Amino acid sequence: MAKIIPFKAVRPTRDKVCLVTCRSYEEYAPAELAAQLDFNPLSFLHVIKPAYTNQEKVSFEKRYRQVHQKYQDFKSENILVKDEKPAIYIHKIVTKNQSFTGIIVGTSIDDYRNNIIKKHEETLAFRVRVLKEYMQYSEFNTEPVLMTYANNKNIENWIFERTQKLADFEFSTTKKEINYLWKIDDAIEIDWIQNILKTENLYIADGHHRSEAVQLLAQENENTKNTSQDYLLSYLISENNVKVYEYNRLIKDLNGMTKEAFLKEVSVNYLIENKKQLPFQPTEKHQFGMYLDNEFYSLVLRNEKQDFKTVLESLDAQILYKTILSPLLSIKDLRNDERIEYMSGKQSILELKTIVDEGEFEVGFFLFPSNIEEIKALADANLIMPPKSTYIEPKFRSGIVIYEF
């Protein structure tokens, strides 16, 4: 059911790839970003963040045109080179704790519209439009949408066989990750993988805004002959090869309540155990950790409160919202309320403790991570997760593979 296509990727040359690719610029601290831009002229950061020192003074359109021009400069200098034949690409990322291997392809915007590519997150119209305009003016995309497919032994065996050969490139990053890329341009092999994936639904794990932005771009240009906008740069990975982390919550105040009054209200829905100074992290669903006034607490949802009618109602992020964040702390808008912030589960709960102890926040909540089955069930039921419910790996580096519109 899912349609995939090969494409002519633009990629760094083998000798420059380790210098070109970069993390999302939002992940860099200001000093690190400045150092990269000052001392590494080959960094793809120069493309996605041109004239970074005065960008706040530049209009969106002018900035995006600068991105396009810098991208063309990288191509003219042979830092980036376009492949001669359409291909699909196997990409492997090895971190300290895990290895991820997936296939980079183009996926169909029609499949996205027709819910063959399934979604579980709501998008913000403003962010979608900004991304659409970025792609429209820059004329490329280098951040694939992470999609999962059902575990498939045939695909797994094929990937294993192909990755035994010498990679087109292999490089390490300053984060001690190793990246590999294999180009597959054999028409028979491409046809084989296309036929296998025709029987699959694909689930967006990360990249809902990018998907919607390309859909909008294709919609606005549907009368043109530019069919490249009908496809979405995607990284397809087996559902058993993704890592799902939780997002923990930091709240700035108790909505005018005393600590004692707040705990009394929480106890209506939860069995509370004071862990004192012993750090506590949930080990199963419907169990939450809380840090308040220099002490850790265990919160276990009372059995009589567990009458869930949908998968959304049983989701821990939704339970916390419905039982504490909204009714007790008056946090209604999880995206825009300035009293709440989020920390990914990759960060230690001791980091959250330190932030609360510094005084900007009064209470922190720790969640048990969701799993891929919950994400699929939500997507199948056309239900939407609360914002910041999952932090999903792998994360893709910019500049490895570029899809041109």
Side-chain angles (χ1 to χ4, degrees):
M1 288 165 30
K3 180 182 179 180
I4 68 164
I5 61 161
F7 63 99
K8 296 179 182 179
V10 177
R11 300 184 288 133
T13 56
R14 185 184 182 96
D15 62 313
K16 299 181 182 70
V17 62
C18 62
L19 294 171
V20 173
T21 68
C22 65
R23 309 193 305 276
S24 168
Y25 78 85
E26 294 175 346
E27 295 183 24
Y28 289 86
E32 186 183 11
L33 178 63
Q36 283 286 324
L37 291 166
D38 286 341
F39 300 111
N40 180 5
L42 298 181
S43 174
F44 200 74
L45 287 168
H46 288 285
V47 174
I48 58 180
K49 198 73 170 173
Y52 73 101
T53 55
N54 64 347
Q55 278 208 347
E56 68 280 358
K57 303 175 184 178
V58 177
S59 68
F60 282 130
E61 180 179 341
K62 185 173 181 180
R63 184 186 309 174
Y64 300 156
R65 291 190 185 279
Q66 289 175 338
V67 170
H68 174 75
Q69 185 56 55
K70 195 66 179 178
Y71 174 65
Q72 295 302 322
D73 291 345
F74 267 46
K75 289 176 67 178
S76 65
E77 294 168 7
N78 289 323
I79 300 169
L80 300 172
V81 177
K82 190 168 187 174
D83 285 334
E84 295 182 357
K85 293 176 60 178
I88 62 177
Y89 305 83
I90 298 174
H91 182 42
K92 183 176 182 179
I93 306 166
V94 180
T95 70
K96 180 180 180 181
N97 300 313
Q98 194 161 348
S99 174
F100 305 98
T101 307
I103 311 166
I104 304 172
V105 298
T107 55
S108 168
I109 284 297
D110 283 340
D111 286 350
Y112 174 82
R113 290 171 177 155
N114 295 328
N115 211 34
I116 293 170
I117 296 174
K118 296 179 177 288
K119 318 127 184 116
H120 69 268
E121 284 186 7
E122 198 169 30
T123 56
L124 295 173
F126 171 75
R127 187 176 173 196
V128 168
R129 182 155 290 279
V130 167
L131 280 170
K132 189 274 296 183
E133 290 176 356
Y134 178 91
M135 294 177 191
Q136 180 178 355
Y137 288 111
S138 67
E139 299 182 0
F140 71 84
N141 182 21
T142 186
E143 296 186 25
V145 175
L146 180 65
M147 300 184 189
T148 67
Y149 56 84
N151 304 335
N152 187 304
K153 199 68 178 177
N154 289 327
I155 297 177
E156 185 178 323
N157 290 338
W158 175 77
I159 288 176
F160 177 80
E161 290 176 7
R162 294 300 168 269
T163 54
Q164 300 312 297
K165 299 178 181 179
L166 181 67
D168 281 59
F169 61 59
E170 170 187 350
F171 69 95
S172 295
T173 74
T174 55
K175 294 292 184 180
K176 300 180 180 178
E177 294 179 353
I178 307 174
N179 285 257
Y180 304 85
L181 189 84
W182 292 265
K183 180 175 69 172
I184 310 295
D185 58 9
D186 180 81
I188 295 175
E189 287 194 83
I190 292 172
D191 184 65
W192 179 82
I193 197 71
Q194 285 176 319
N195 285 328
I196 284 190
L197 287 169
K198 279 181 183 177
T199 64
E200 300 285 348
N201 282 319
L202 300 175
Y203 292 82
I204 297 178
D206 190 24
H208 287 79
H209 284 88
R210 275 166 278 157
S211 303
E212 187 64 18
V214 175
Q215 190 277 142
L216 183 59
L217 183 64
Q219 179 181 317
E220 292 185 359
N221 296 282
E222 60 185 354
N223 295 323
T224 70
K225 296 181 180 180
N226 186 0
T227 58
S228 63
Q229 296 171 352
D230 295 333
Y231 294 92
L232 178 65
L233 179 65
S234 304
Y235 184 61
L236 311 186
I237 189 168
S238 174
E239 63 188 30
N240 66 353
N241 195 207
V242 295
K243 177 66 176 176
V244 183
Y245 295 90
E246 72 281 9
Y247 264 109
N248 297 316
R249 276 82 167 120
L250 292 157
I251 314 297
K252 291 190 175 181
D253 59 68
L254 296 182
N255 196 30
M257 284 185 282
T258 64
K259 170 186 171 182
E260 292 71 24
F262 176 67
L263 289 173
K264 183 178 179 180
E265 292 292 334
V266 171
S267 69
V268 172
N269 290 299
Y270 295 90
L271 299 171
I272 303 176
E273 182 180 353
N274 189 338
K275 297 290 188 177
K276 304 293 184 182
Q277 298 301 310
L278 180 66
F280 175 78
Q281 194 153 8
T283 57
E284 58 185 34
K285 279 179 64 64
H286 305 158
Q287 184 184 74
F288 301 83
M290 182 173 71
Y291 183 69
L292 172 65
D293 193 23
N294 299 305
E295 293 180 323
F296 289 92
Y297 294 84
S298 163
L299 309 180
V300 179
L301 191 66
R302 293 181 182 274
N303 288 332
E304 65 270 20
K305 303 295 181 180
Q306 298 189 30
D307 183 22
F308 305 121
K309 295 180 175 59
T310 68
V311 63
L312 177 61
E313 291 180 1
S314 70
L315 197 70
D316 280 354
Q318 182 73 356
I319 292 169
L320 184 67
Y321 173 71
K322 287 293 188 180
T323 59
I324 296 179
L325 299 184
S326 178
L328 304 185
L329 299 177
S330 294
I331 294 176
K332 310 296 183 182
D333 187 345
L334 293 172
R335 290 188 185 275
N336 299 310
D337 196 312
E338 294 181 352
R339 295 168 54 230
I340 184 170
E341 290 191 15
Y342 303 89
M343 286 181 61
S344 82
K346 288 199 71 175
Q347 296 172 270
S348 164
I349 62 172
L350 296 180
E351 293 182 62
L352 187 147
K353 172 187 181 300
T354 298
I355 292 174
V356 174
D357 287 343
E358 288 172 349
E360 183 180 356
F361 299 92
E362 194 157 351
V363 61
F365 294 97
F366 315 110
L367 284 72
F368 186 72
S370 297
N371 57 54
I372 199 66
E373 292 304 323
E374 285 182 312
I375 293 172
K376 289 175 62 179
L378 281 160
D380 288 338
N382 294 315
L383 295 172
I384 300 299
M385 272 187 165
K388 297 291 187 180
S389 291
T390 56
Y391 178 91
I392 299 179
E393 288 186 334
K395 297 296 183 186
F396 205 84
R397 290 178 70 83
S398 295
I400 290 180
V401 168
I402 302 164
Y403 181 89
E404 293 188 327
F405 295 112

